[in-house]
Structures are given as structure tokens and as C-alpha cells.
Amino acid sequence: KSWWTRLKYLTNLYCLLASQSETKVSMAMRQTPLTCSGHTRPVVDLAFSGITPYGYFLISACKDGKPMLRQGDTGDWIGTFLGHKGAVWGATLNNEATKAATAAADFTAKVWDAVTGDEVLTLAHKHIVKSVNFTQDSSCLLTGGNDKIIRIYDLNKPETEPQEITGHTSAIKKALWCNNDTQILSAADDKTVRLWDRNSTEVVKQLSFDMSVSSMEYIPDGEVLVITYGKTIAFYNALSLEMIKTVDAPASIHSASLHPDKDFFVAGGDDFKLYKFDYGTEEELESYKGHFGPVHCVRFSPDGELYASGSEDGTLRLWQTAVGKTYGLWKCVLPGEF
Ligand SMILES: *[C@@H]1O[C@H](CO)[C@@H](O)[C@H](O)[C@H]1NC(C)=O
Ligand SMILES: *[C@@H]1O[C@H](CO)[C@@H](O)[C@H](O)[C@H]1NC(C)=O
Ligand SMILES: *[C@@H]1O[C@H](CO)[C@@H](O)[C@H](O)[C@H]1NC(C)=O
């Protein structure tokens, strides 16, 4: 009797359609985000699994120290991972959504069984851990944080010391596997983004910025790297670190995500809004205010049908990529139906 089956009946408990009554009288094309409450502090990171036979899943990292697992298309709460003794700064799922990993202010990263909710491993660090990422086969976990060291844990041999990669001179914000797990991309408060060779642990290429980057996303399909700093959303080739383009948003941006088909990208930050841009023309297509605080993280779902945002206001919101389409809990309301 897994945690999963026990809690399944609780679906729909936390996710409510925002402003339902308002939607009914308005047009069919109104963006109606699904609001996922349950966290009690700012939501600072989120990640989706790949698409599994059970759909896809969403994990959220929160300063309340209690990362949550949800059904990805509806936001339905599945369970809460209990065990950290401080703010959780980073969270990820493996592709199959069978494992979760979290990075926390209690100087640990934890690996969890995402089906039962049980803690599997606690990996002690020397400082706050900010970032976690599995290899595609889930055999290794990459961590990064305030001790400036990138670590690679072999999860099949958890008792062995991790491989360490040093070089950053300030706290690491994000560390991600790239190029089919043969290289690592890291972003740090030393205002650099570095591409490392996993075997030699040498820097292959490096980008320097005028300020610390606020977020980094890696899209394996096409090797695109999405970086945000200030009001800028910048796109790079992840292998050569050559710039593709930069786009400036009207506000300071904390996170951006590129649609899997590379048609659009979304971004959110200081002004509580979510912006959607055309990736080709760089035109701002839509912007929505829904959160009651700065947006800390935004990610497209693996099927590209929605994007999720996490905010200082303690909620996650799910937004439709194609507004008005029937998908998940969204029902297309045709004009004249009421
Ligand atoms: C981490 O790694 C997996 C697979 O190796 C990848 O699909 C995922 O998007 C990565 N990123 C994050 C932020 O977890
Ligand atoms: C990625 O690595 C795996 C395992 O080493 C290999 O089977 C696969 O062919 C590689 N894919 C690419 C695109 O290089
Ligand atoms: C890295 O090391 C492994 C194992 O030693 C080897 O099979 C692989 O070819 C190396 N990869 C590169 C890019 O050097």
C-alpha cells in the first residue's frame, strides 16, 4: 500500500480553478490558471518528470522545507516529502518519476522514492545545497550549492565518496547534466556559467556576465541553454556556448523556459507577471498577472501543453500554452454555452 495509492483519493483537494465564476461569464479564450496551494512559504524551484505511462509529474521546492509531488497536468497533490530540516532550494524528478531528489539549507541533498514517498539517501554537504539533477539513467546525482563544489554521486554505490569538481569561486545556483551526461553546465554567483567535461573535470568553455545569473535551463533537443539575468533572457548553444539571441523583458526576470517545440518561451520575475514570447520573432505575445508576489521559477511541461510557475506567494500556478484548449482540468467553454 504505497503512499501514492493511499493519497490518490485526495486528488483535487488542493487544486482549484481560479476565479471559476468569473470564467463562465467571460470569453472562452481567457487564461485561467490552476492554483496549487499547500505550501506555506515561497516556492523557489520546480521540475517536471518525463512522460510516463501514468502521465507526467511535478515536484516543487519550497522554503517551508516540504517539497511536494503533484500530477503534472492537473496539479493534483500526490504527496509531501518529509525529512528536511530547512528550506528546500532545489528539486528534481528522474524521467520515469520513480525517484526524486532535493537540495536544502540543512546542508543535505536527499534522494526519495517518488512512488512511496520514502527517503532513500541523505547526502551530507558542507554548506547549503541549491541544485540537484539525475543522469538520464538515474544512476548518478549531480549537486551544487554554497560550498562552490560540484559533486557527482554514484547512487549505486552511495557509500563511496562523490567525485568533486572545483573551480567556481562563489555559491553554485544550478548544475545540470548536458550533452548526453558527458558534460556539466553550472551557473554560480561568481557571474559565470561553465561547461565542464565530466571525465577530466576541466572547464571546456565559460561565459562571464556583468551580474549573477538568476536561472538556467537546458533543453537537450537542439542543445539550447536558456539563461536569465537582470531583464534579459539569453539563449545559447549549450555545446559551443555561442549566443543565439537575447530578449529583454519589461521587468527583472528570475526564470525562463523554452517550449519543447521552440515556438515560444515564457518568463517571470519581479513584477508578479508571466510573459509569453514568440521564440522566432522575439515578440511579446501575452502577459498574465496571477501571482501575488515575485515569480521565482517557471517551466514548460514535457508535452508543452502548459507551464508551471512558483512564486513568493507560496503557490504554484499552471498556465495553458494554448489558451482555451480542453486539456487536464481545463474545459473549453464555447461562446454562447451559458
Ligand atoms: C535533470 O536531468 C534530467 C535527465 O537527466 C532532465 O530531463 C531534467 O530536465 C534535468 N533538469 C532539471 C532542472 O531537473
Ligand atoms: C547517449 O548515451 C547513451 C549511453 O551511453 C547511448 O546509448 C546513446 O546512444 C547516447 N546518445 C547520443 C545522442 O549520443
Ligand atoms: C569518459 O570515461 C569513460 C570511462 O572511463 C569512457 O568510456 C568515455 O569514453 C570517456 N568519455 C570521454 C568524452 O572522454
Side-chain angles (χ1 to χ4, degrees), residues 125-196:
H125 287 64
K126 295 192 177 72
H127 212 304
I128 294 168
V129 195
K130 287 279 177 72
S131 173
V132 275
N133 191 222
F134 289 107
T135 48
Q136 289 166 51
D137 64 3
S138 319
S139 67
C140 292
L141 185 74
L142 185 65
T143 70
N146 290 12
D147 67 6
K148 309 166 204 167
I149 301 170
I150 297 167
R151 290 186 178 78
I152 302 171
Y153 290 89
D154 183 342
L155 300 178
N156 297 321
K157 297 179 207 145
E159 64 288 347
T160 59
E161 287 297 310
Q163 185 185 350
E164 296 189 347
I165 303 179
T166 53
H168 275 300
T169 55
S170 291
I172 295 164
K173 278 198 168 133
K174 203 85 172 172
L176 299 170
W177 292 108
C178 72
N179 196 7
N180 205 17
D181 301 337
T182 62
Q183 292 182 321
I184 293 161
L185 281 160
S186 60
D189 284 336
D190 59 13
K191 303 177 188 168
T192 67
V193 166
R194 300 181 197 205
L195 178 67
W196 310 81

Side-chain angles (χ1 to χ4, degrees), residues 49-306:
S49 70
I51 298 170
T52 79
Y54 309 98
Y56 60 89
F57 299 86
L58 168 63
I59 190 169
S60 51
C62 181
K63 286 193 187 172
D64 66 11
K66 299 182 177 108
M68 289 188 182
L69 183 69
R70 295 171 192 274
Q71 193 74 38
D73 59 341
T74 60
D76 287 341
W77 176 74
I78 294 169
T80 302
F81 299 100
L82 299 173
H84 276 300
K85 293 183 184 71
V88 175
W89 288 103
T92 192
L93 292 167
N94 65 346
N95 285 328
E96 299 77 25
T98 53
K99 285 183 190 177
T102 48
D106 61 8
F107 293 17
T108 71
K110 286 181 190 285
V111 177
W112 312 79
D113 183 321
V115 179
T116 62
D118 294 331
E119 190 181 308
V120 178
L121 280 176
T122 293
L123 307 167
H125 287 64
K126 295 192 177 72
H127 212 304
I128 294 168
V129 195
K130 287 279 177 72
S131 173
V132 275
N133 191 222
F134 289 107
T135 48
Q136 289 166 51
D137 64 3
S138 319
S139 67
C140 292
L141 185 74
L142 185 65
T143 70
N146 290 12
D147 67 6
K148 309 166 204 167
I149 301 170
I150 297 167
R151 290 186 178 78
I152 302 171
Y153 290 89
D154 183 342
L155 300 178
N156 297 321
K157 297 179 207 145
E159 64 288 347
T160 59
E161 287 297 310
Q163 185 185 350
E164 296 189 347
I165 303 179
T166 53
H168 275 300
T169 55
S170 291
I172 295 164
K173 278 198 168 133
K174 203 85 172 172
L176 299 170
W177 292 108
C178 72
N179 196 7
N180 205 17
D181 301 337
T182 62
Q183 292 182 321
I184 293 161
L185 281 160
S186 60
D189 284 336
D190 59 13
K191 303 177 188 168
T192 67
V193 166
R194 300 181 197 205
L195 178 67
W196 310 81
D197 180 79
R198 179 203 184 151
N199 280 5
S200 69
T201 71
E202 298 291 324
V203 175
V204 182
K205 292 213 166 59
Q206 178 172 327
L207 293 171
S208 295
F209 298 87
D210 296 340
M211 58 185 107
S212 191
V213 307
S214 47
S215 79
M216 183 172 78
E217 180 187 51
Y218 165 67
I219 315 284
D221 180 22
E223 300 290 349
V224 184
L225 179 63
V226 187
I227 291 170
T228 61
Y229 52 92
K231 293 181 174 180
T232 305
I233 304 138
F235 300 88
Y236 291 85
N237 178 299
L239 304 185
S240 64
L241 293 191
E242 272 165 35
M243 191 198 282
I244 302 167
K245 63 172 90 187
T246 65
V247 179
D248 279 351
S252 186
I253 294 299
H254 297 163
S255 181
S257 184
L258 181 61
H259 189 273
D261 294 339
K262 302 179 191 70
D263 296 331
F264 312 110
F265 62 94
V266 289
D270 267 351
D271 68 354
F272 309 4
K273 283 186 180 173
L274 271 300
Y275 292 91
K276 183 169 135 191
F277 294 86
D278 185 297
Y279 182 61
T281 66
E282 302 164 26
E283 185 192 348
E284 183 190 317
L285 299 174
E286 296 161 354
S287 74
Y288 299 108
K289 199 163 170 176
H291 282 294
F292 300 107
V295 177
H296 293 305
C297 45
V298 52
R299 279 294 166 265
F300 269 108
S301 61
D303 63 2
E305 292 284 353
L306 61 83

